Amino acid sequence: MGSGKRGLITAAVTVVCAVTVLAAPGTAFAAPSPTPSPSTSASSPSTAVSNKDLEDVRKRLEKLYHAAAVATDQYNAAEEAAEKQSAEIVALAKRIVKGQERLAELKKQAGAAAAAQYRSGGLPDEAKLMLSDDPQAFLDGTGRVLQGQRATKGLLAEMTRIQQDLELYAKDASAQWKKLEAGRKAKAAAQKRIEKQIKAAEQLESRLEEEEKERLAELEKEAAYKAQTAWLNSGILEDIKGEASEQGRKAVEYATEQLGKPYEWGAEGPETYDCSGLTSQAWASAGQGIPRTSQEQWKQLKRIDIEDMRPGDLIIYNDDASHVAMYIGDGAIIHAPRPGRTVTVAGAGTMPILGVVRPDA
């Protein structure tokens, strides 16, 4: 077990990580009370960063990582769209090849029919009847000719239809290529935005001394603790008594096994994850495919009242649905927070909740 995971389990109640928490609510999860942040004393150097300044840093970091999360969702959406468009192009290419093969076959048949007609000569039917030694045989042959003419018309009609289909497939393929190229540009732009925001955050943190980083971490814990406490004090857990479904249980088990693994934007495991990469893979492991991004999970999955929430459900955070976590019971979540962090257990109310969705509704 890595040091990040050991610290995680120490900070959170171990029971929320156990499978038994999935079926029956127990003690409500709350982050441990933060250690009081040291204040700048009169004897501190004049260059020391005050708690107020550190709080400003904390808020600035929060904004930078939030912007990175939004861009990550855009990157993931572009990647998912590119995969679908590539698959559609491949399918269209197969249809074009198949259509071309059928068209070549029909042209061969049409050529054979034209040759047969040429060999029969150009005399009108009346003349052929008069010159025939066996009028009945001629009439029988005429019936066969009429059948052949109808078959030829059908052959030509099919050729025309296939040619039209090929033109349509070509147009569709061209349109998909244009979308794919636009998606690549959107993906590249999102990647630049992600890297820019993360770099700015890292540079901001790098300017802090070790003692200041420790105080900043305490401020982050304190902010999370206050938010979680306020959420629990609302009495919300008194109404949340749902038990995990079989698929929900499996999804939570998967997410629990990823504890301590690093966050990496755009990652879907198995060694690193971003927030929606974790939730989508957890539910995939339970046999339920869901959208790749937190925004699409919010748009497409069934929405559930918080009071009806059960382990395995996904909590969507922020007004722009830029973050997602998995509810595991007792007021706790498992999520991949942000760059520089690992998959961890946290209080469900530590971030602004937009709503809850259920993959196996």
Side-chain angles (χ1 to χ4, degrees):
M1 182 180 294
S3 59
K5 191 169 181 179
R6 285 197 297 271
L8 166 93
I9 301 300
T10 302
V13 282
T14 306
V15 70
V16 292
C17 299
V19 177
T20 54
V21 77
L22 309 181
T27 304
F29 175 91
S33 299
T35 305
S37 301
S39 59
T40 306
S41 63
S43 60
S44 298
S46 58
T47 56
V49 177
S50 68
N51 280 357
K52 181 180 180 302
D53 290 335
L54 281 177
E55 178 62 17
D56 290 340
V57 170
R58 185 190 71 78
K59 291 179 179 178
R60 174 62 178 156
L61 286 172
E62 196 174 76
K63 288 181 180 179
L64 287 170
Y65 283 122
H66 175 262
V70 172
T72 297
D73 231 33
Q74 294 168 346
Y75 176 93
N76 291 336
E79 185 173 49
E80 187 177 36
E83 290 176 357
K84 291 179 180 178
Q85 285 152 5
S86 296
E88 181 63 22
I89 289 170
V90 170
L92 286 167
K94 289 180 179 179
R95 290 177 197 164
I96 288 173
V97 169
K98 187 176 180 181
Q100 288 174 334
E101 291 174 348
R102 178 58 178 161
L103 187 60
E105 182 183 341
L106 291 172
K107 285 181 177 179
K108 186 177 179 180
Q109 292 176 15
Q117 185 176 3
Y118 173 78
R119 286 193 299 270
S120 68
L123 290 174
D125 291 341
E126 295 85 350
K128 290 180 182 179
L129 179 60
M130 292 176 66
L131 295 172
S132 174
D133 294 333
D134 187 349
Q136 184 59 46
F138 171 77
L139 292 174
D140 291 342
T142 301
R144 288 193 295 272
V145 169
L146 290 173
Q147 290 177 355
Q149 288 176 342
R150 285 195 291 269
T152 300
K153 288 181 180 179
L155 184 148
L156 294 174
E158 185 178 358
M159 287 176 64
T160 301
R161 179 181 59 77
I162 289 178
Q163 286 175 328
Q164 291 172 342
D165 287 346
L166 288 173
E167 290 176 4
L168 182 61
Y169 294 156
K171 288 180 181 178
D172 287 348
S174 177
Q176 290 297 335
W177 273 114
K178 289 179 181 178
K179 288 181 181 179
L180 185 60
E181 184 59 27
R184 284 174 180 159
K185 291 179 180 179
K187 185 176 172 182
Q191 180 173 346
K192 286 183 180 179
R193 288 194 296 273
I194 295 166
E195 292 171 346
K196 180 181 178 181
Q197 300 299 333
I198 293 176
K199 184 178 180 180
E202 290 174 343
Q203 289 177 341
L204 184 58
E205 288 184 286
S206 69
R207 291 197 290 267
L208 299 175
E209 300 293 338
E210 285 303 315
E211 182 269 340
E212 292 165 349
K213 290 179 182 178
E214 292 175 3
R215 287 163 54 203
L216 178 62
E218 290 299 329
L219 287 175
E220 290 176 348
K221 289 180 184 178
E222 183 177 350
Y225 175 75
K226 286 180 178 178
Q228 176 71 355
T229 300
W231 187 69
L232 292 175
N233 287 344
S234 69
I236 187 67
L237 281 191
E238 295 175 8
D239 299 318
I240 302 177
K241 297 179 173 62
E243 296 184 0
S245 65
E246 183 61 30
Q247 281 188 308
R249 187 186 298 273
K250 289 179 181 178
V252 173
E253 287 175 354
Y254 179 95
T256 301
E257 290 170 358
Q258 313 315 310
L259 288 170
K261 292 185 178 180
Y263 176 102
E264 181 182 3
W265 63 266
E268 299 178 81
E271 300 303 325
T272 58
Y273 295 90
D274 62 21
C275 67
S276 57
L278 176 64
T279 55
S280 60
Q281 288 303 304
W283 272 100
S285 75
Q288 181 70 46
I290 64 173
R292 169 64 177 89
T293 69
S294 58
Q295 292 178 344
E296 288 304 311
Q297 288 170 8
W298 174 241
K299 288 179 183 177
Q300 297 185 35
L301 300 181
K302 183 176 181 180
R303 298 181 185 181
I304 302 296
D305 291 336
I306 290 182
E307 292 79 5
D308 297 327
M309 189 163 58
R310 67 191 188 195
D313 287 345
L314 305 181
I315 303 181
I316 309 296
Y317 292 95
N318 305 318
D319 290 341
D320 52 10
S322 56
H323 190 69
V324 61
M326 180 175 291
Y327 184 65
I328 59 173
D330 289 343
I333 57 170
I334 289 178
H335 71 144
R338 66 168 176 82
R341 298 288 188 266
T342 60
V343 176
T344 188
V345 174
T350 55
M351 297 168 284
I353 295 175
L354 176 61
V356 179
V357 293
R358 177 164 295 164
D360 61 340

